Amino acid sequence: MEHLIYYYCTVCKKSSEAWQIENGSPVTGFNRIATEFMPFCLTDVMAFQSILFTAETGLRNDLGENPWSLRAHKLSMECLELLRAKMAEPNLVVSDAMIATVVNLAVSELLYIRNPMNFENHMTGLRQMVKLRGGLNKFDGILKEVLNWLFKLYSELSQRARHTHEEDKSFTIQKQRGFPAATSLDDWSSLSYETITGLSVKRPRTFFV
């Protein structure tokens, strides 16, 4: 378990630079993901499980292994069971810990597992949870910044998918072949980690150049 936490910490700087969430501590060399987001997640069992899941899938991916290890499956099941239990409570109140948990699950699917359907499902759930809280303006601090990054990245990936869809549609019409009407994010599954995390709000057309 300790090595997963260490791994999560070591990728914080690389990730947050790409996410434009900087202003880290000059003493530790870490940043706000490590100094604010991760410590918050450690205060909640469910959010802590999601950190371990993200670290496990990320580490396996870096090692060139299948990110869906037995440990990843176990952590995922435990995390989702806790989340479903929270969602099923009467007088549901969406907590920051629930939001952070889904963020970690979505990031894992996006960067490491590369499953477009699961990523979209998590993003759909995340939007609904944020809506129940009254919108992004009801958040603050590092959680708001992470949510802003993730929603903007999702929007850019969706735009890229639609753009690719239109190009492919034009091509297949010329070839007089059928083309499915649905547009998905499947095309980003072949993109590099650096390409995805390097997408920034300052360069919104990165995927098209």
Side-chain angles (χ1 to χ4, degrees), residues 39-106:
F40 165 72
C41 289
L42 295 180
T43 65
D44 179 87
V45 174
M46 177 178 56
F48 177 54
Q49 290 287 90
S50 70
I51 274 187
L52 295 179
F53 172 70
T54 301
E56 172 66 12
T57 55
L59 180 59
R60 296 285 180 175
N61 183 72
D62 282 355
L63 294 174
E65 302 174 2
N66 186 344
W68 271 114
S69 63
L70 290 176
R71 179 185 285 123
H73 275 286
K74 182 175 184 294
L75 289 169
S76 175
M77 292 300 296
E78 292 174 349
C79 186
L80 289 173
E81 286 178 6
L82 290 169
L83 183 60
R84 291 187 185 110
K86 290 285 186 181
M87 296 294 291
E89 289 181 354
N91 303 317
L92 170 66
V93 176
V94 177
S95 66
D96 286 354
M98 294 168 68
I99 296 286
T101 296
V102 179
V103 165
N104 281 321
L105 294 175

Side-chain angles (χ1 to χ4, degrees), residues 150-162 185 199-201 203-208:
L150 192 54
F151 284 134
K152 288 176 181 178
L153 179 54
Y154 177 68
S155 176
E156 290 295 332
L157 288 169
S158 298
Q159 288 179 28
R160 183 182 191 277
R162 288 192 294 270
L185 299 181
L199 179 64
S200 73
V201 295
R203 295 182 293 134
R205 308 301 289 181
T206 298
F207 285 112
F208 308 120

Side-chain angles (χ1 to χ4, degrees), residues 114-182:
R114 300 298 186 93
N115 187 311
M117 182 177 296
N118 286 347
F119 175 62
E120 290 193 87
N121 288 340
H122 286 315
M123 292 304 299
T124 297
L126 191 59
R127 284 197 301 268
Q128 293 173 346
M129 294 168 74
V130 170
K131 185 176 180 180
L132 287 172
R133 282 281 295 269
L136 276 173
N137 62 323
K138 298 297 183 180
F139 294 85
D140 55 23
I142 188 63
L143 188 56
K144 182 176 183 178
E145 292 187 49
V146 171
L147 285 170
N148 273 322
W149 166 77
L150 192 54
F151 284 134
K152 288 176 181 178
L153 179 54
Y154 177 68
S155 176
E156 290 295 332
L157 288 169
S158 298
Q159 288 179 28
R160 183 182 191 277
R162 288 192 294 270
H163 178 79
T164 303
H165 170 79
E166 290 303 319
E167 286 188 342
D168 289 346
K169 184 176 181 180
S170 176
F171 176 78
T172 53
I173 287 175
Q174 293 174 11
K175 295 294 184 178
Q176 295 188 3
R177 294 202 304 241
F179 190 84

Side-chain angles (χ1 to χ4, degrees), residues 18-44:
W19 300 351
Q20 299 183 341
I21 306 171
E22 297 185 271
N23 190 30
S25 167
V27 178
T28 64
F30 290 148
N31 49 64
R32 296 180 60 203
I33 297 295
T35 61
E36 296 179 39
F37 185 71
M38 189 183 74
F40 165 72
C41 289
L42 295 180
T43 65
D44 179 87

